[in-house]
Amino acid sequence: YWQWRWTPPCSGKELRGSCRTTDREEAERYVIRLQADWRQAELLGQVPAITIDELFAKLVTDHYAFKKSTKAPLSVLANIKQITDKKGLRYVHQIEKNNLNDIVLSFKHRALSQEIKPSTVNFYLRILRHAINYTNKLGFRTGAVTKDTWNDHMFPATPPRTKFYSAEQFAKLLNE
């Protein structure tokens, strides 16, 4: 895929990403459209908005495409997309602290109804946190949700399992 790199004048921070195409002309059109969005936003004094669909597509192509397995992130993003659609949220900047509570509670309820373990739900919530905070890295979101907010939504960590040894196993451990 063609990659783009650009420093918008309003932020001064270099942004990078994938054009999600192998065609050079299509990639150039994508970059021109992206720069036009930034310039228009700068004139209006706003940070450009990114839809939840665009964020998830960008996250999958830029980050999760290099992972061995993308099954878990894709299923999490699909579940979150269904929840945000039901709540009428189209843009990432619409996800604020009060909306996030509703989204996370709906997600946890859906996951527990599918009998997913709490530790796995915590892993999925970290993927969601990464997705929302990724917009800040891209320069699209002005205030990402803090880590403390996410910690409120996590299930308590499960204690490590207690292992019981037989007399022979215990003696073997002492001899090593």
Side-chain angles (χ1 to χ4, degrees):
Y1 288 132
W2 283 94
Q3 301 290 314
W4 59 267
R5 184 178 357 166
W6 189 58
T7 304
C10 58
S11 72
K13 183 171 85 173
E14 183 180 74
L15 304 175
R16 297 175 184 210
S18 170
C19 295
R20 299 187 305 260
T21 182
T22 55
D23 181 28
R24 181 182 177 145
E25 291 178 5
E26 190 177 334
E28 288 173 350
R29 283 192 299 270
Y30 177 81
V31 171
I32 289 169
R33 189 169 16 107
L34 184 68
Q35 291 175 348
D37 288 348
W38 272 100
R39 287 192 180 101
Q40 181 182 5
E42 186 179 45
L43 291 174
L44 298 175
Q46 303 169 339
V47 174
I50 183 171
T51 65
I52 293 171
D53 289 336
E54 291 171 336
L55 166 66
F56 289 170
K58 188 163 229 5
L59 189 66
V60 168
T61 57
D62 291 352
H63 184 71
Y64 291 114
F66 305 106
K67 302 287 183 182
K68 288 182 181 176
S69 171
T70 58
K71 184 179 176 185
L74 292 178
S75 67
V76 171
L77 298 178
N79 276 329
I80 297 300
K81 178 69 177 117
Q82 290 173 357
I83 293 169
T84 55
D85 285 347
K86 282 184 182 177
K87 299 196 177 300
L89 302 173
R90 184 161 183 249
Y91 293 96
V92 177
H93 71 269
Q94 293 173 320
I95 300 176
E96 296 171 350
K97 193 171 185 177
N98 59 347
N99 292 352
L100 182 67
N101 292 338
D102 293 340
I103 291 169
V104 170
L105 288 175
S106 298
F107 180 74
K108 284 168 81 171
H109 176 70
R110 182 179 285 202
L112 291 175
S113 68
Q114 296 172 357
E115 296 182 3
I116 297 175
K117 294 179 182 178
S119 59
T120 307
V121 174
N122 285 346
F123 171 71
Y124 290 170
L125 289 175
R126 281 189 221 99
I127 292 173
L128 175 60
R129 179 179 74 192
H130 175 73
I132 291 176
N133 289 341
Y134 189 64
T135 58
N136 205 23
K137 179 181 173 192
L138 294 173
F140 287 105
R141 186 174 168 83
T142 54
V145 183
T146 63
K147 192 171 185 176
D148 295 337
T149 303
W150 288 99
N151 290 339
D152 295 343
H153 295 297
M154 298 290 184
F155 285 109
T158 55
R161 293 184 183 178
T162 305
K163 188 167 183 175
F164 296 99
Y165 293 102
S166 66
E168 295 85 23
Q169 290 172 326
F170 191 70
K172 187 177 179 181
L173 284 173
L174 291 176
N175 291 334
E176 289 180 353

